[in-house]
């Protein structure tokens, strides 16, 4: 039994508040129970719920203010309902994958249940006022994946508080007084992301309040296998702040103790908000009445004694006992609340199901009718009747079943002249287009602010334009950028005091201050997380991964969180972060600088930019900053000391995305490449010219998007031969480029010779000049590959070399 209420008499613990909290806890429990039944009954594909966490989440929500943020995980349904962000009908709509934002506004049916979000963008993709919202960042399933961006969201509050030049951005912050509430299950705290973020929060001193829901298990694995000392608060005790050293504040409270939870969260939020100190609230002795998810029963791995303990310590039951003991309500009153909660949950479920099925049932009947009509006129009436019969036997048919049936019918009809066949074809085309909008839209910005709409601004040169190292070009650009745009901040290892390892920011921290150009520890994941959080709150961060190969440390955050954000919210959230790194032609196993194929596979939803020099890089930074999509820019490492003419308008150049540039015209063969390979290919082209071979060289400039106007095929029409040259692994970016041109642009029609890819060897390159030469494509390789093609075409004119 709980102790007497130590806060009796306060407004927080009025009878009305307490019984409302109990009502919400009961409703949340009931939707969890019904949700599991729906999954087991086939209405939904999967279910994962917040049962056992209700009371702690209610206590947290009591301290949540407009303008605050939740960066949580998939059991936070009670928080979202308490804040008014979630109705129970919407909860069930998400379970059913209802692909209609009017019914499922978090993700438009794109995420499994428990993944909640606040819509930050209006219909035109413009920011809404976050200070008037109870902000919830769209959840991700990746364990601990929500924590890196939580660090960035909290860091934004610090910048808004301390940088007076940002105070005009009133729709994103109230003078930095916002808390970021991160939530995580205790087992997920074993992930490195969590530890990295907690350490960084203590270093940065940001208002991040992390709640650990500790129910003692990670699926079947108990806490003693998860965490040192079996307690995350004990394991993190070394980060506890004291009078002499900053750090984090740590609270421990039981998840069934309603008044203690209220008091703990009030204290924690006050410290976090007013002192800008990160806080850990370790909520212990929680339960998980239905187990981890609908994928299995927890009775398989929990002992009977543990199951008995969980029944006795169920937070809702303990809350009920406390209410009765302290006289806040009678048993009859609580029974009435429980009955009403059950009815509310059931009604919400039924309404959600009816709303989900109404369009599906209409489309189903329409599909059946169309198929039956086609069968009446067809000589294949028996086969078509079987299609109708098969569809009619489908349990709870969805659009997949209907569209598949129509496609099958059209295959059966074949060349038959049937008037209803045309109707079926029209129906199919219309349905495919509608479902493209439902399930395939919003990967990139579809607004007027898309970087694809930014118009070109060419570099301007004059007689006084100096020739300088490439690093001076990019430094001059960043200087102009930081001078004109206060929202831009740069974050990364060694980026501040020494001006980055290649001097692109040399002297700029001294000029613009540490708040705008900031050194970090060696922690790529949370560097990216800082950037994501800042970009979500209206700033324009550029975060640096010092060398391209190190991006693997942050890849899960980039692909699971950033690249998918706009898509998984169906256009409701965005984070226009620019990730800056340097690569191409590096040497050594861990500094090869070339994992481009990995990026192309992982970062759909981001733009991938590969400039060959720093005038180009400046133009692409400007284009991206005028747009609202995230991007990766890979600067060419070996060009920092290559000479370039510094444009007079370096701060204004804009280079359009997805538009290749012909950097050498020719008639015999086309070479398609990018980045530092451009210089090597150009050198080979000069050598080939002396052998009577005239090569056209195309720099694709951006890999995502790739040649949006299909211009490369025009070169192949002229030359009838093509090589795709790249320093990535075989079958990676070079194969991607070939697929884009030969397949999508139909370039095969114009080829007189097979298309060729040139790439690095299968292994990472060893260290040293010889290792590079024998591992990555070099000028000799390019020359000989071109020559071999020409030899096969005209052996008399181009005799075999060796």
């Amino acid at each position: 039994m709980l102790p007497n209420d130590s806060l009796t008499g306060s407004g927080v613990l009025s009878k009305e508040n307490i019984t409302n909290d109990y009502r919400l806890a009961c409703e949340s429990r009931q939707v969890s129970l019904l949700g599991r039944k729906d999954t087991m009954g086939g209405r939904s594909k999967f279910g994962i719920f917040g049962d056992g966490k209700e009371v702690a989440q209610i206590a947290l929500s009591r301290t949540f203010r407009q303008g605050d943020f939740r960066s949580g995980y998939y059991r936070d349904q009670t928080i979202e309902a308490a804040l008014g962000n979630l109705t129970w009908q919407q909860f069930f709509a998400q379970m059913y994958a209802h692909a209609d934002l009017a019914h499922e506004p978090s993700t438009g049916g794109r995420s499994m249940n428990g993944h909640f979000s606040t819509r930050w963008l209006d219909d035109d993709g413009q920011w809404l006022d976050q200070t008037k919202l109870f902000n919830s960042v769209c959840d991700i399933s990746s364990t601990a994946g929500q924590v890196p961006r939580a660090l960035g969201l909290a860091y934004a509050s610090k910048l808004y508080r301390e940088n007076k030049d940002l105070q005009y951005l009133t729709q994103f912050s109230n003078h930095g007084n916002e808390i970021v509430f991160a939530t995580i299950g205790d087992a997920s705290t074993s992930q490195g992301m969590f530890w990295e973020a907690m350490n960084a929060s203590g270093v940065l001193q940001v208002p991040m309040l992390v709640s650990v829901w500790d129910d003692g298990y990670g699926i079947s694995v108990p806490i003693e296998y998860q965490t040192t000392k079996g307690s995350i608060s004990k394991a993190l005790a070394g980060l506890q702040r004291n009078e002499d050293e900053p750090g984090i504040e740590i609270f421990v409270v039981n998840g069934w103790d309603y008044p203690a939870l209220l008091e703990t969260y009030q204290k924690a939020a006050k410290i976090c908000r007013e002192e800008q100190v990160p806080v850990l609230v370790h909520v212990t002795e929680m339960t998980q009445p239905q187990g981890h998810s609908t994928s299995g029963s927890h009775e398989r791995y929990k002992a009977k004694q543990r199951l008995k303990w969980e029944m006795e310590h169920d937070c809702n039951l303990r809350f009920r006992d406390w209410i009765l003991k302290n006289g806040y309500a009678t048993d009859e009153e609580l029974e009435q609340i429980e009955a009403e909660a059950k009815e509310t949950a059931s009604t919400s479920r039924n309404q959600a199901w009816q709303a989900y099925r109404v369009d599906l049932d209409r489309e189903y009947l329409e599909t059946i009718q169309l198929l039956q009509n086609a069968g009446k006129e067809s000589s294949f009436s028996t086969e078509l009747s079987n299609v109708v019969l098969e569809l009619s036997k489908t349990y709870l048919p969805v659009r997949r079943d209907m569209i598949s049936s129509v496609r099958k019918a059209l295959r059966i009809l074949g060349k038959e002249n049937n008037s209803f066949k045309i109707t079926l074809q029209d129906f199919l085309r219309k349905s495919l287009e509608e479902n493209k909008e439902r399930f395939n839209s919003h990967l990139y910005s579809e607004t007027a602010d898309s970087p694809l709409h930014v118009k070109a601004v060419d570099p301007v040169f004059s007689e006084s334009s100096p020739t300088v190292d490439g690093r001076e070009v990019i430094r001059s650009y960043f200087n102009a950028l930081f001078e004109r745009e206060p929202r831009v901040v740069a974050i990364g290892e060694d980026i501040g005091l020494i001006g980055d390892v290649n001097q692109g920011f040399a002297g700029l921290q001294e000029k613009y201050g540490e708040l705008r150009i900031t050194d970090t520890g060696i922690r790529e994941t949370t560097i990216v997380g800082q950037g994501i959080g800042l970009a979500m709150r209206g700033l324009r961060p550029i975060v640096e991964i010092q060398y391209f190969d190190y991006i693997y440390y942050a890849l899960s955050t980039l692909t699971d969180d950033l690249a998918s954000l706009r898509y998984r919210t169906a256009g409701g959230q965005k984070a226009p972060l620019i990730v800056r790194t340097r690569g191409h032609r590096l040497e050594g196993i861990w500094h090869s600088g070339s994992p481009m194929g990995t990026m192309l596979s992982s970062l759909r939803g981001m733009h991938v930019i590969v400039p060959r020099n720093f005038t180009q890089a400046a133009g692409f930074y400007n284009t991206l900053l005028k747009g609202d999509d995230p991007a990766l820019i890979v600067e060419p490492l070996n060009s920092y000391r290559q000479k370039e003419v510094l444009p007079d308008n370096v701060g204004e150049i804009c280079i359009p995305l997805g538009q290749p540039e012909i950097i050498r015209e020719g008639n015999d063969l086309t070479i398609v490449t990018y980045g530092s390979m451009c210089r090597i290919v150009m050198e080979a082209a000069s050598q080939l010219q002396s052998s009577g071979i005239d090569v056209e060289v195309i720099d694709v400039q951006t890999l995502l998007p790739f040649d949006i106007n299909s211009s490369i095929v025009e070169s192949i029409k002229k030359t009838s031969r093509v090589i795709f040259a790249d320093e990535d692994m075989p079958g990676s970016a070079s194969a991607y480029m070939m697929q884009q041109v030969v397949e999508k642009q139909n370039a095969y029609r114009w080829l007189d010779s097979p298309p060729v890819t040139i790439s690095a060897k299968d292994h990472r390159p060893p260290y040293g000049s010889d290792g590079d030469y024998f591992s990555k494509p070099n000028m000799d390789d390019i020359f000989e590959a071109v020559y071999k093609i020409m030899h096969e075409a005209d052996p008399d004119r181009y005799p075999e070399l060796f």
Side-chain angles (χ1 to χ4, degrees), residues 273-467:
R273 194 182 307 277
E274 296 179 4
E275 300 181 37
Q276 297 270 292
V277 169
V279 178
L280 177 82
V281 178
H282 183 193
V283 186
T284 61
E285 296 197 6
M286 285 188 144
T287 66
Q288 204 152 269
Q290 298 186 111
H292 174 266
S293 67
T294 55
S295 61
S297 171
H298 62 158
E299 294 176 354
R300 293 181 300 162
Y301 53 84
K302 289 180 181 176
K304 290 183 179 180
Q305 185 178 0
R306 172 68 190 191
L307 292 170
K308 182 176 182 292
W309 181 92
E310 289 195 4
M311 289 183 63
E312 294 170 349
H313 287 78
D314 185 300
C315 63
N316 285 12
L317 294 179
R318 298 300 293 267
F319 189 12
R320 190 185 200 279
D321 290 343
W322 178 85
I323 292 172
L324 291 173
K325 180 180 179 181
N326 287 275
Y328 286 110
T330 65
D331 191 62
E332 291 75 15
E333 289 174 319
L334 296 184
E335 287 179 353
Q336 178 68 23
I337 288 173
E338 291 156 7
E340 291 170 354
K342 192 171 184 178
E343 179 63 26
T344 296
S346 179
T347 300
S348 298
R349 174 204 191 200
N350 293 338
Q351 290 174 341
W353 181 251
Q354 291 166 8
Y356 169 63
R357 289 303 313 180
V358 63
D359 287 338
L360 289 175
D361 292 342
R362 176 184 53 77
E363 292 174 30
Y364 167 74
L365 293 175
E366 182 182 3
T367 304
I368 292 287
Q369 187 65 57
L370 288 171
L371 293 171
Q372 290 174 336
N373 290 342
K376 292 176 183 178
E377 287 193 6
S378 175
S379 58
F380 301 104
S381 59
T382 301
E383 291 89 339
L384 291 172
S385 293
N386 288 334
V387 173
V388 173
L389 181 62
E390 183 181 354
L391 178 59
S392 65
K393 289 182 177 179
T394 303
Y395 178 65
L396 299 177
V398 292
R399 293 184 174 96
R400 173 195 63 183
D401 305 303
M402 304 170 206
I403 299 303
S404 182
S405 296
V406 171
R407 284 173 153 173
K408 185 174 183 179
L410 288 171
R411 291 195 296 271
I412 292 171
L413 288 167
K415 297 180 180 180
E416 183 176 76
N417 188 13
N418 183 326
S419 62
F420 283 103
K421 176 181 174 181
I422 298 173
T423 304
L424 273 178
Q425 290 171 332
D426 290 341
F427 174 80
L428 178 60
R429 281 189 286 267
K430 179 183 177 184
S431 295
L432 289 175
E433 191 61 33
E434 290 173 346
N435 286 299
K436 181 179 179 181
E437 174 60 30
R438 287 188 182 102
F439 303 111
N440 308 123
S441 58
H442 302 293
L443 181 60
Y444 295 94
S445 175
E446 298 172 3
T447 74
D449 290 329
S450 166
L452 297 182
H453 299 321
V454 176
K455 295 182 179 180
V457 177
D458 294 331
V460 173
F461 301 100
S462 64
E463 293 182 358
S464 60
S465 300
T467 298

Side-chain angles (χ1 to χ4, degrees), residues 102-347:
H103 295 276
E104 204 282 88
S106 286
T107 73
R110 297 182 178 191
S111 287
M112 67 176 67
N113 81 296
H115 292 65
F116 309 115
S117 69
T118 309
R119 301 196 73 77
W120 292 332
L121 308 177
D122 63 20
D123 291 340
D124 296 322
Q126 301 301 306
W127 291 107
L128 299 174
D129 190 339
Q130 292 180 343
T131 66
K132 292 180 170 57
L133 301 173
F134 297 102
N135 297 284
S136 184
V137 186
C138 190
D139 301 306
I140 57 177
S141 291
S142 311
T143 53
Q146 70 273 25
V147 187
R149 59 141 186 259
L151 178 73
L153 292 163
Y155 185 64
S157 288
K158 178 174 182 173
L159 294 188
Y160 278 120
R161 176 175 286 205
E162 297 184 9
N163 185 350
K164 304 304 180 185
D165 292 336
L166 298 177
Q167 293 194 356
Y168 74 98
L169 296 168
T170 55
Q171 70 190 109
F172 297 104
S173 179
N174 178 23
H175 303 291
N177 291 320
E178 304 81 24
I179 290 178
V180 177
F181 291 89
T183 64
I184 188 170
D186 60 295
S188 296
T189 64
S190 299
Q191 292 278 16
M193 291 180 180
F194 173 81
W195 289 84
E196 186 176 311
M198 292 308 299
N199 176 63
S201 73
V203 171
L204 294 171
Q205 290 294 283
V206 293
M208 183 173 79
L209 197 161
V210 181
S211 295
V212 179
W213 310 137
D214 187 350
D215 54 36
Y217 286 82
I219 304 185
S220 67
V221 181
I223 191 66
E224 55 263 29
Y225 290 98
Q226 303 274 1
T227 308
T228 300
K229 301 182 180 181
S231 166
I232 191 61
S233 53
K234 291 179 181 178
L236 286 174
L239 300 184
Q240 171 71 54
R241 65 174 182 161
N242 56 47
E243 293 181 358
D244 302 316
E245 299 168 315
I248 70 172
E249 190 59 69
I250 299 175
F251 292 89
V252 180
V253 61
N254 289 326
W256 44 262
D257 192 337
Y258 175 71
L261 284 162
L262 289 176
E263 186 172 17
T264 298
Y265 273 104
Q266 288 171 14
K267 291 179 179 177
K270 181 179 177 63
I271 291 170
C272 198
R273 194 182 307 277
E274 296 179 4
E275 300 181 37
Q276 297 270 292
V277 169
V279 178
L280 177 82
V281 178
H282 183 193
V283 186
T284 61
E285 296 197 6
M286 285 188 144
T287 66
Q288 204 152 269
Q290 298 186 111
H292 174 266
S293 67
T294 55
S295 61
S297 171
H298 62 158
E299 294 176 354
R300 293 181 300 162
Y301 53 84
K302 289 180 181 176
K304 290 183 179 180
Q305 185 178 0
R306 172 68 190 191
L307 292 170
K308 182 176 182 292
W309 181 92
E310 289 195 4
M311 289 183 63
E312 294 170 349
H313 287 78
D314 185 300
C315 63
N316 285 12
L317 294 179
R318 298 300 293 267
F319 189 12
R320 190 185 200 279
D321 290 343
W322 178 85
I323 292 172
L324 291 173
K325 180 180 179 181
N326 287 275
Y328 286 110
T330 65
D331 191 62
E332 291 75 15
E333 289 174 319
L334 296 184
E335 287 179 353
Q336 178 68 23
I337 288 173
E338 291 156 7
E340 291 170 354
K342 192 171 184 178
E343 179 63 26
T344 296
S346 179
T347 300

Side-chain angles (χ1 to χ4, degrees), residues 53-74:
K53 287 36 176 203
E54 294 92 348
V55 175
Q57 292 188 15
I58 288 169
L60 181 155
S61 69
R62 285 288 194 87
T63 64
F64 204 114
R65 298 181 186 174
Q66 284 183 326
D68 287 346
F69 287 78
R70 182 191 69 90
S71 181
Y73 85 140
Y74 39 73

